[in-house]
Amino acid sequence: MTDPVPPKSVFSPARVEAEVARHQTSSPQTEDPAYRLAFQDLEFLLRQDLRPVRFQLELLKPELLLDEADIASTFVFYGSARIPEPSKADALIQNAATDNQRRIAERLKAKSHYYDEARSLARLASRVGRDADGKQHFVVCSGGGPSIMEAANRGAADEGADTIGLNIVLPHEQLPNPYVTPSLSFQFHYFALRKMHFLIRARAVAVFPGGFGTFDEAFELLTLIQTGKIKPVPILFFGADYWRRVVNFEALVEEGTISPNDLELFQFVETAEQAWDHVCTYYAESDIQLDC
């Protein structure tokens, strides 16, 4: 005689309860919104008062799905949504209508090689195998959009690896790029929750030339490490000329607003190989087997 196996719960699953609720007899009482199950009532969930609940749901949903996919750590890619793939860079210049547009298009073309570097770095990161517990490490994670984000997800897809996209609802439509693993393609309403998910599993971060969004993400990361809120990770700024032109880091030290040691929180690199070598050196003492 086998030992009895108790049920996981004595309560009916919420899915079953929801199905029963849909088939109740219609009456003035059952048709009123007040009678809806709270988790089926979209108008209720979207009330201003429910914002804390929506925060919690937006934090919890990706967390559960990433756990179920056995993703233990990620390699995060930040960067512009405007830098073109090299093969498409000339089209930007040809479509320029003014001298100023042409100058900007030429500058974007000059940065187009970073698309290839992001793709190459993602390939290297995606060759890291699972650990003894079957967990995935250095899974490529991007904002899920075009340009540098697309290149990162594309590099992982080249290796047949899972890759994450964290999209955000914007006034202008931004669909996930086609290289994101569908079951790991998430959409966020709150920037704060999206940025938290970028960093929860991050064990290395590549920062490519970008604008306000890239600045926001990269400098929040630096602030969190500077203030001891999170442990240090390799932070790799691609393109020293670009970053030193748009941010005078040394001036921040000279003005006394950051300390000289803060400049050691990140490294300037130019190629995927340089970036990956730095990550390998950083984690040389870990149990994770990197293909270096």
Side-chain angles (χ1 to χ4, degrees):
M1 181 176 178
T2 59
D3 293 331
V5 179
K8 292 182 178 180
S9 174
V10 296
F11 292 99
S12 298
R15 186 185 299 276
V16 173
E17 297 284 0
E19 194 61 31
V20 171
R22 288 193 184 95
H23 293 90
Q24 291 177 342
T25 302
S26 177
S27 71
Q29 290 76 25
T30 62
E31 292 300 321
D32 194 273
Y35 196 71
R36 294 176 192 154
L37 289 171
F39 59 81
Q40 286 186 304
D41 189 343
L42 188 59
E43 292 181 10
F44 173 69
L45 290 174
L46 294 179
R47 287 175 56 152
Q48 185 78 3
D49 316 57
L50 270 290
R51 178 175 288 171
V53 175
R54 295 195 298 275
F55 265 53
Q56 184 177 11
L57 291 173
E58 195 153 283
L59 178 65
L60 185 59
K61 180 181 177 181
E63 181 72 7
L64 291 174
L65 294 179
L66 291 170
D67 276 345
E68 290 169 1
D70 291 325
I71 294 174
S73 68
T74 58
F75 198 135
V76 173
F77 287 65
Y78 295 145
S80 176
R82 304 185 184 190
I83 293 174
E85 182 180 355
S87 63
K88 300 177 181 177
D90 287 333
L92 283 180
I93 299 173
Q94 293 169 2
N95 293 332
T98 67
D99 289 342
N100 188 53
Q101 288 178 359
R102 176 177 288 276
R103 283 192 294 270
I104 292 173
E106 289 171 346
R107 290 193 181 106
L108 287 171
K109 178 182 177 179
K111 290 185 283 290
S112 65
H113 68 282
Y114 289 120
Y115 183 102
D116 288 340
E117 295 300 336
R119 186 177 177 182
S120 295
L121 180 57
R123 286 193 192 118
L124 293 170
S126 298
R127 292 170 187 163
V128 175
R130 293 176 181 258
D131 64 19
D133 296 321
K135 301 295 185 181
Q136 300 187 71
H137 289 278
F138 293 95
V139 177
V140 170
C141 176
S142 84
S147 188
I148 296 299
M149 296 174 279
E150 175 188 284
N153 297 127
R154 187 176 181 179
D158 290 340
E159 297 293 324
D162 283 339
T163 180
I164 304 164
L166 306 181
N167 271 76
I168 187 79
V169 176
L170 297 173
H172 51 281
E173 186 178 40
Q174 178 182 285
L175 293 175
N177 69 67
Y179 303 103
V180 178
T181 301
S183 61
L184 299 176
S185 182
F186 303 102
Q187 183 174 213
F188 291 82
H189 172 66
Y190 300 106
F191 269 104
L193 274 300
R194 179 180 183 243
K195 287 193 290 183
M196 180 169 284
H197 271 293
F198 271 128
L199 298 182
I200 287 174
R201 289 171 171 78
R203 298 299 178 268
V205 179
V207 186
F208 288 82
F212 287 163
T214 302
F215 275 58
D216 177 39
E217 294 156 349
F219 283 92
E220 178 166 326
L221 168 59
L222 291 173
T223 301
L224 289 170
I225 296 176
Q226 181 198 51
T227 56
K229 290 294 185 181
I230 64 174
K231 295 179 180 179
V233 297
I235 303 174
L236 311 156
F237 277 75
F238 275 76
D241 287 346
Y242 172 82
W243 286 108
R244 286 193 166 116
R245 179 170 183 249
V246 298
V247 182
N248 193 333
F249 294 99
E250 286 72 21
L252 293 174
V253 175
E254 292 168 4
E255 293 293 330
T257 51
I258 66 172
S259 71
N261 291 339
D262 290 334
L263 297 183
E264 298 175 8
L265 296 178
F266 60 93
Q267 302 288 325
F268 289 118
V269 296
E270 298 298 328
T271 68
E273 289 74 19
Q274 288 176 337
W276 189 240
D277 285 346
H278 183 74
V279 173
C280 290
T281 300
Y282 192 93
Y283 288 107
E285 303 301 321
S286 76
D287 294 331
I288 302 171
Q289 299 299 311
L290 302 185
D291 185 8
C292 298

